[in-house]
Amino acid sequence: MVELEGIGLHTGQPAKVRFFAEEGPVRLRVGGQTFRPLASRVSDTTRCTVLEAEGVRLMTVEHLLAALYLWGIWEGLLIEVQGPEVPILDGSAKEWMQALAAFPPRGPKPRPIPEPFKLQEDKSLVSVEPAAVFSLNVTIAFPHPKIGYQSFASPPRMLMEVVDARTFGFLAEVNALKAQGLIRGASLENALVFSDLAPLNTPRGRDEPVRHKALDFLGDLYLAGAPWTGRFSVHRGSHRLHVRLATRLERWLAGTEPDPGGRDGYSP
């Protein structure tokens, strides 16, 4: 058993996570409910990805799931969470990866993407094409002098380069987000924060924002239920759009067709 604890980024409440080796697919145990982390369990994507089962909600699962994706753990693990939110730790997946090192990678062979498709919402776009191996290209564009346009492509870069990239935000948004009941646990210890002109704390590389967006994407892609091969391209991604993609892949995995009209059954 491995244990980590901290506070939630949005709730600010204490949380504890325990990992147990247990046969079967990776499952979460929260408030007496045990369930798989799947796109069909997503109930909200406002500033984080939220799972729900029988009235039990678990917020901000994406960094933990990204670590599971990167480590290749799809089976043999039970994750018990005490609290309404997965702890933010340092804002990246670094500590999750360290905890998961106690467990071996296990899972099915990657499934091939059967056909190309695109999903789009306003200026956000995800495109997927069949390919023999997995590749990822993520781009972002923010009107900030220290961010602007950034890109991350693996290959040629190593996918593991996203592990230490922290969640980021803007000082100008803090009051509005707190008024919505969000980021109550945010601090300079667990987030990269930008003022109007510059970051308030030291970035882990100039491209930390785009690497974190890639990390978020991998966490949401884990919700598809299995690894996939293909070329994934994400421009100005969001949790909402990522989950639409994972929903389509989860349905393909189950042998069902995506919903017509491109909504893929996800409405929040």
Side-chain angles (χ1 to χ4, degrees):
M1 190 270 288
V2 177
E3 181 178 292
L4 284 176
E5 58 183 317
I7 64 168
L9 174 68
H10 294 295
T11 63
Q13 295 186 31
K16 185 178 294 185
V17 178
R18 294 188 178 100
F19 298 96
F20 301 90
E22 187 170 296
E23 289 302 309
V26 169
R27 284 157 296 155
L28 294 163
R29 179 177 293 161
V30 186
Q33 298 294 330
T34 302
F35 56 94
R36 291 185 65 192
L38 294 171
S40 53
R41 290 285 185 186
V42 173
S43 62
D44 194 6
T45 53
T46 304
R47 296 283 176 157
C48 68
T49 301
V50 182
L51 301 178
E52 187 167 347
E54 304 300 326
V56 173
R57 299 175 81 247
L58 181 63
M59 299 176 63
T60 320
V61 298
E62 56 269 19
H63 302 165
L64 169 57
L65 298 185
L68 290 168
Y69 189 103
L70 288 163
W71 200 246
I73 299 180
W74 302 84
E75 298 172 355
L77 191 65
L78 175 67
I79 305 170
E80 182 182 86
V81 183
Q82 295 179 3
E85 186 175 13
V86 172
I88 190 62
L89 303 178
D90 79 335
S92 75
K94 184 178 179 179
E95 293 178 70
W96 295 119
M97 290 290 285
Q98 292 169 348
L100 290 173
F103 302 92
R106 285 183 58 186
K109 292 182 178 180
R111 307 295 182 95
I113 293 294
E115 62 185 39
F117 65 93
K118 295 181 179 180
L119 298 174
Q120 185 168 5
E121 291 186 359
D122 299 324
K123 296 180 180 179
S124 300
L125 175 68
V126 173
S127 64
V128 182
E129 299 177 12
V133 297
F134 176 88
S135 65
L136 175 63
N137 183 72
V138 178
T139 56
I140 61 172
F142 284 88
H144 190 282
K146 297 298 182 181
I147 303 180
Y149 177 88
Q150 295 184 3
S151 65
F152 174 86
S154 177
R157 298 178 68 176
M158 298 294 292
L159 203 57
M160 286 291 184
E161 291 182 33
V162 306
V163 167
D164 71 340
R166 297 162 296 175
T167 191
F168 68 96
F170 302 93
L171 190 61
E173 296 180 336
V174 167
N175 290 337
L177 291 173
K178 286 188 174 180
Q180 297 174 47
L182 301 172
I183 67 167
R184 293 175 178 173
S187 74
L188 296 178
E189 301 300 317
N190 56 37
L192 175 61
V193 181
F194 291 88
S195 70
D196 290 342
L197 298 177
L200 299 181
N201 45 352
T202 304
R204 296 173 178 173
R206 184 189 176 279
D207 68 344
E208 186 175 7
V210 73
R211 287 188 294 114
H212 186 78
K213 287 293 188 179
L215 183 74
D216 278 349
F217 174 78
L218 293 173
D220 291 334
L221 185 61
Y222 190 87
L223 297 167
W228 293 79
T229 59
R231 287 188 290 270
F232 293 78
S233 298
V234 187
H235 178 61
R236 301 181 70 165
S238 66
H239 291 301
R240 179 186 174 94
L241 191 59
H242 302 165
V243 170
R244 283 184 58 197
L245 167 64
T247 299
R248 176 168 290 196
L249 297 181
E250 182 190 348
R251 288 181 171 175
W252 268 341
L253 193 65
T256 58
E257 291 295 324
D259 283 350
R263 294 309 302 174
D264 299 313
Y266 177 64
S267 59

